[in-house]
Amino acid sequence: MIEPTLLNARAASRRGLPLAPLAVELRTRLQAIIAAHADPATGSLDYRAIRAAADFGAFVEVTRGLAGGRPDELKTPEEQIAFWLNLYNALTLHAIIALDIKNGVGEVDEFFRRVRYDVGGDHFSLVDIEHGVLRQNRPSRNQPEVTFPPRDRRLRWLIGRFDPRVHFALMCGARSCPPIRAYAAARLDAQLDQAARGFVRSDVEVDRRRGRVTLSRIFYWYEDDFSGMLDFVLRHLDPGPTRDWLAAHRAGVRVRYRTYDWGLNDAGIRA
C-alpha cells in the first residue's frame, strides 16, 4: 500500500482560484526558477539553490490554489497539454526538494506514484499525469494496465488530443530525462517540436559502420505511441548525412536502447 504525499494541501479557509490564470502563473513561476537555476547546457537543476530561493516559495504558493480548478476552464488541447506538462515538471521539482532527495528519485519508494498534487479536488501522482491524463489512459510496456479505471473521476481531465512529443517534455528528475522547460499554450507546437528535436539531436546515436541506431529507452517503453518509431526519429533528426543514411537504411538497421541513468539531474553540489 502506497502512502500518498500531497504537496499542495491548502488551508481550509483558502478558496481555490480559477484554473486558467493559475496555469499562466504556474508557468511564469516555473520559468523563473528554470531561468535562475537550470544549467543551460545540460538542463540540470541546482536543487539546493532552488530550495533557498524566494521564487520557490512563491511557486509553492501557486500550487496551493489548484484545488478549486475545473476541467472546462482549460478550453483547448493546447491549454490542457501545456498545463499538465508544467504541472508534471513542477511536481517533480517540488517533490525532489520536499523529500530532500540527494542522489536519485529511487531513494523514495514508489516515487512516481507517491507524490501528488490536488487539482480540482482530485489527487494526481506523476504516473496519473503522464499515463492517465497526457497519454489518455493508454497502456504501455512500463505501464501495462490503464491508469484510471472506468468511472474514475479523474477521467474528466483527459486531454483533448494525444501528442507523442510530450515524452520529450517531461522532466522526471533523472539524468536521462529530457531537460525541464515551461510550456505556453500559444507556442506549444513550436516548443514541443524544439523539445523533440533537441532530445533526438542529443540522444540518438547512428553508427553507420555497424548499421545500428541507439535510442533512449523512452522509445522502447512507448514504442506504440510513436506510430513508427524510426519515422518519428527521422522527422526530428537534423538534416545531413546521418539523417540521409538512416532514411536509406532504416529497413535493415538494428535498434538498441541505451541504459537509463536514474541519477539525479542535479547541477549543484549536494551536502
Side-chain angles (χ1 to χ4, degrees):
M1 187 70 175
I2 300 168
E3 184 65 31
T5 300
L6 185 66
L7 295 181
N8 70 330
R10 61 187 174 95
S13 59
R14 179 181 173 132
R15 296 180 59 191
L17 300 173
L19 192 56
L22 271 178
V24 173
E25 188 172 359
L26 179 69
R27 172 177 56 81
T28 301
R29 297 293 184 184
L30 185 61
Q31 181 57 54
I33 289 173
I34 295 168
H37 304 292
D39 183 326
T42 66
S44 296
L45 292 161
D46 189 339
Y47 292 102
R48 187 164 57 183
I50 295 170
R51 179 199 293 273
D55 281 346
F56 180 64
F59 155 83
V60 170
E61 193 61 25
V62 173
T63 70
R64 291 184 176 136
L66 295 169
R70 301 190 319 271
D72 61 6
E73 295 178 88
L74 301 174
K75 303 295 186 184
T76 67
E78 290 75 22
E79 288 178 307
Q80 296 160 9
I81 293 170
F83 170 73
W84 288 103
L85 287 176
N86 291 335
L87 198 72
Y88 183 101
N89 293 338
L91 178 53
T92 302
L93 183 156
H94 191 171
I96 288 168
I97 292 172
L99 301 179
D100 196 27
I101 292 172
K102 290 182 169 60
N103 298 305
V105 297
E107 294 170 17
V108 176
D109 187 45
E110 294 285 4
F111 174 82
F112 294 100
R113 297 180 186 276
R114 177 179 169 184
V115 298
R116 305 185 183 191
Y117 273 160
D118 182 335
V119 183
D122 298 320
H123 291 187
F124 292 89
S125 69
L126 292 165
V127 166
D128 298 330
I129 296 171
E130 179 179 7
H131 298 286
V133 178
L134 286 166
R135 296 188 58 248
Q136 297 181 317
N137 221 28
R138 299 161 181 248
S140 63
R141 281 194 174 110
N142 69 340
Q143 182 71 19
E145 304 295 331
V146 297
T147 302
F148 301 146
R151 294 183 293 279
D152 191 305
R153 264 177 54 99
R154 294 168 297 177
L155 287 166
R156 64 197 181 118
W157 292 95
L158 264 62
I159 60 174
R161 64 173 171 82
F162 171 64
D163 192 318
R165 295 175 297 177
V166 300
H167 287 298
F168 310 106
L170 296 171
M171 190 282 291
C172 69
R175 295 189 188 109
S176 286
C177 283
I180 190 169
R181 294 181 174 92
Y183 291 87
R187 305 193 307 276
L188 184 67
D189 185 65
Q191 286 185 299
L192 288 178
D193 195 62
Q194 181 184 24
R197 290 183 183 280
F199 191 85
V200 167
R201 182 184 306 117
S202 64
D203 205 77
V204 172
E205 179 185 341
V206 177
D207 187 332
R208 288 183 270 179
R209 185 173 64 86
R210 292 186 172 92
R212 186 175 70 193
V213 59
T214 302
L215 304 176
S216 166
R217 293 198 75 80
I218 290 172
F219 286 102
Y220 173 76
W221 292 327
Y222 307 111
E223 182 177 357
D224 290 344
D225 287 1
F226 295 105
S227 301
M229 186 170 57
L230 289 181
D231 288 338
F232 181 93
V233 169
L234 283 166
R235 285 197 302 274
H236 296 90
L237 200 59
D238 290 339
T242 297
R243 186 189 183 281
D244 293 343
W245 182 91
L246 183 58
H249 295 86
R250 63 181 171 182
V253 77
R254 291 183 296 120
V255 176
R256 74 170 188 173
Y257 300 97
R258 199 182 313 282
T259 300
Y260 214 74
D261 184 350
W262 286 102
L264 191 66
N265 61 341
D266 194 345
I269 300 172
R270 305 301 299 265

